Structures are given as structure tokens and as C-alpha cells.
Amino acid sequence: MPVRLLLAIAFIVLSTIGFGYLLSAENTGSFSWLTGSESQPAMASGGSQQPPQPPTADSGQPPSPSEPSDDALGFMLANVAQQYAENIRYPEYSLPLSDAQAEAYAGNRFEPIALPLPGDGRFTVTLEKFRFVQGEDILIAATITGPQVVSQQMTATLEQAKNRDTMESTELTSEDGFYQGVLTAEGEPGEYRLIVEADIDGETVRHVSTLTVEPDLGDFTGLGDPEVRNNDLVIPVEFDARESGFYALSAQLMDNGQPIALLSAEKRLETSGNTIDLRAHGSVLAGKNLKGKLQLRHLQIRRLPAQPGDRTDYGYGPDEGYTFTPPDLESLTDTPASDPESEQRAALLQKLADKF
């Protein structure tokens, strides 16, 4: 058996024993700090077992901790085995998505930041996204709510996060209390600070947000013809890279706007004629009532570092994504992904659980 496998199993078992002890019925004192009360000794169901005696000044030694019960260990091992077996049902390139996960993986989103002001006021700055391509316009919107007295103009400044060098500034003009303006992402790729200054109640207030400027990685040019290959729906994504290198692509597969799976792939790309195959495994498609067209949304491509220390560059597909008609999917089966090493680990975990 490989050494790494033995180490992995040993780690899981030791962790399980520790958690099993913490959760066991005999461990009545470990969580007393949560309630602020002293724990009471556990009594045997038949009443024949005497409660453990508290340590005395003469003994000088605390009582020995009780061993975790076999039931607790078995329960923990069974849960670990079940969770591990469930996780390896799906290959890494095709993972099922819930609505909440799909929202979290949506990609290039900017979360507005509200700066609190006196009197329940808010100073909020909003951008249409978080990552911008070099040379792209940065549309800025700002609002101030509350009883404050605000001037009719604000100033927006883009500066490098590392050395605080100012790249560009502009005035945000007001219309019905809504401030807006435009900057340009002309700087080198990296992290930047967007500083919006407003005159509020006679004082200058600074609102600071972060964004990144990315190089132009290339263009998505569409999809090839999807096909069923083995137990996968293969979706070819066409991308013209500006520079050759290793790239990672991810996207969400959807049916009528409902998430199905997160698909991913890595490949070395040249500067023309590139196709990256995204694969949806049968374990995420079989048995679903899929009718009509499917959608590929939230495409994100990353240029991986050529050497340690290099940054990872990001690019994104069209906002509307792609819609396509899949081939006949009847041949796909809900068969777990085949990974002999993972299956061996799952079987060993189950054998350990069955011993309790």
C-alpha cells in the first residue's frame, strides 16, 4: 500500500478519534466554558457505577480522561466514509452546482461597499465589475443617503495599491443625488485603489475600494459542435489567445437558467486556432429532464503563472454566455467517476467504519 495512503488514513483515523472523544457522552467537561457551568459526572444507566472522585490535595493528579466509546468512533468513521464516497462520485472537471454555489462562482462581480455616516447615513460606491482589461472604461456610480449636507461634486482617483502612485482622476457629477463618472484602466496589470472623495457637512470624506487591471488575454470566438464521448458531454470552447502558455477555463452549465454543474479544464494554448474541451460528466446529467437548449454562463479563463512568483491573469467570456443544442444524451449514465486510488481509500474507510 502506498506510504501516502497510509499517512492519509492514519491522519483521518487520529482526527476521528479526537473528534469522537470531544463528542462522546463521557466527555462532559470539555464544553463547560460554553455554558459557564460546571459539568456533572456521567452516571451509568444501572446506577452501579460510582461517579469519579474529584482530585484531592493529597493526590496531586487530575483524573484520567475516559476513552471515547466504540459507538462514537463508529459514528464518526461512518460519516467520514460516507462523505468521502459522495465527494468522489464526481470528477474534478464536472462538479454539481446548487443555486447558492452558482451565485458564489458567478465570477467578475463587484460588491458595493457602504461607508457609514452619522445619522444612519451611507456613502456607497458601485462599479459594474471587479476586474477590468487594460484600456477599458471604469464606470463609477456613487450615492449618499442620510441627513448630511453634500456638495454637488465628487472626485474619483485611481492609484496603484503598491506604491500609491496616482494614475488618473476625474470629477463625478451629480444628477438627482446620483453621482457618476468614468476613468480608464490604463495602468499595468495589478491591484489598484479607487478613492472617491466627497465634501460632507463641510468635511472631506474618503471612500476607498479595490479593483484589478488585467491584460487582454484574447477573445472567445464561440463554441464548436458538442458531442457525447464516453460518459461525457463534451463542449468545445474556441478561444484566440494573445500569447501562448498554460490556461485554465471554467464555466457554469445551465438548463433554462438553473445551474447544473461547474465545468473546468486546463490546456496549453498557442496564439491561434485554440479549442478547450469542457466536459459534463454523466453523473451530473443522467436522469435529468433536459429539453431544448443548454447554456454556458460565467466563462472565466486564467493564464497560469509561467514560473513561481508570476501573477495569475484573468479574462472573462461574453456576459450573455453561449446557448447551444446538445446532442442526444440518453447514453449518459449516473455512474460514479472512476478513480482507482480514491475508490481504494473509500473502501478502506468503510471497512474501518464497519469494525465498530
Side-chain angles (χ1 to χ4, degrees):
M1 183 179 297
V3 175
R4 286 186 299 176
L5 176 58
L6 289 174
L7 291 175
I9 298 302
F11 175 78
I12 292 173
V13 172
L14 289 175
S15 300
T16 301
I17 291 174
F19 281 115
Y21 170 67
L22 287 175
L23 298 176
S24 64
E26 288 82 353
N27 181 28
T28 59
S30 296
F31 300 106
S32 61
W33 56 275
L34 287 172
T35 60
S37 62
E38 294 183 1
S39 59
Q40 298 297 323
M43 297 294 293
S45 59
S48 59
Q49 180 180 347
Q50 295 297 321
Q53 297 298 319
T56 63
D58 294 337
S59 65
Q61 297 292 333
S64 300
S66 303
E67 291 293 331
S69 68
D70 286 352
D71 288 344
L73 289 176
F75 176 77
M76 291 297 296
L77 277 172
N79 277 331
V80 170
Q82 180 180 0
Q83 186 63 48
Y84 187 76
E86 181 65 23
N87 288 341
I88 66 172
R89 279 184 49 80
Y90 309 100
E92 293 183 357
Y93 61 80
S94 175
L95 301 175
L97 273 182
S98 65
D99 290 340
Q101 290 170 329
E103 182 72 15
Y105 293 142
N108 194 13
R109 297 187 309 167
F110 178 86
E111 296 294 341
I113 300 173
L115 181 68
L117 299 173
D120 293 329
R122 293 290 186 272
F123 181 8
T124 306
V125 173
T126 304
L127 303 177
E128 58 179 339
K129 53 190 174 183
F130 172 69
R131 300 183 189 275
F132 296 84
V133 178
Q134 283 177 302
E136 188 177 10
D137 286 342
I138 303 173
L139 305 180
I140 306 165
T143 58
I144 295 179
T145 60
Q148 287 75 20
V149 178
V150 185
S151 66
Q152 294 298 308
Q153 287 188 329
M154 295 184 187
T155 302
T157 302
L158 186 65
E159 68 175 28
Q160 290 184 337
K162 186 175 182 180
N163 52 27
R164 304 296 175 85
D165 288 344
T166 298
M167 305 303 298
E168 187 181 357
S169 294
T170 190
E171 294 289 335
L172 304 185
T173 58
S174 173
E175 183 176 346
D176 298 329
F178 181 79
Y179 297 80
Q180 58 185 348
V182 180
L183 291 173
T184 306
E186 293 286 7
E188 292 297 316
E191 185 173 293
Y192 288 78
R193 290 172 15 122
L194 176 67
I195 303 172
V196 179
E197 294 184 335
D199 187 0
I200 303 176
D201 292 337
E203 297 184 358
T204 299
V205 179
R206 291 161 54 95
H207 186 295
V208 181
S209 307
T210 59
L211 59 88
T212 67
V213 174
E214 302 292 340
D216 185 359
L217 297 184
D219 297 315
F220 288 91
T221 58
L223 301 181
D225 294 329
E227 63 175 330
V228 172
R229 192 184 305 161
N230 298 324
N231 197 31
D232 291 314
L233 167 62
V234 180
I235 309 166
V237 180
E238 298 169 351
F239 182 77
D240 285 341
R242 295 281 185 268
E243 298 180 9
S244 60
F246 284 94
Y247 290 76
L249 174 66
S250 65
Q252 294 185 21
L253 180 65
M254 295 186 171
D255 174 33
N256 196 27
Q258 294 300 309
I260 298 176
L262 178 67
L263 311 181
S264 60
E266 293 186 13
K267 186 179 180 181
R268 177 174 175 81
L269 302 182
E270 303 303 329
T271 54
S272 63
N274 296 297
T275 299
I276 306 176
D277 288 343
L278 293 178
R279 296 178 293 160
H281 192 254
S283 56
V284 299
L285 289 175
K288 294 185 178 294
N289 185 24
L290 303 177
K291 295 181 179 179
K293 296 183 177 182
L294 299 178
Q295 303 86 43
L296 208 58
R297 297 282 189 268
H298 306 301
L299 285 85
Q300 174 185 277
I301 192 163
R302 295 175 291 132
R303 183 168 62 193
L304 304 178
Q307 57 187 8
D310 290 351
R311 75 186 302 268
T312 298
D313 300 318
Y314 291 79
Y316 295 89
D319 293 339
E320 66 276 12
Y322 297 106
T323 299
F324 64 95
T325 300
D328 185 1
L329 304 178
E330 290 297 325
S331 63
L332 297 179
T333 61
D334 186 12
T335 304
S338 178
D339 182 355
E341 185 174 350
S342 296
E343 292 173 0
Q344 184 182 20
R345 290 173 180 170
L348 183 54
L349 283 172
Q350 189 59 54
K351 286 182 180 179
L352 289 173
D354 291 343
K355 291 183 179 297
F356 293 89

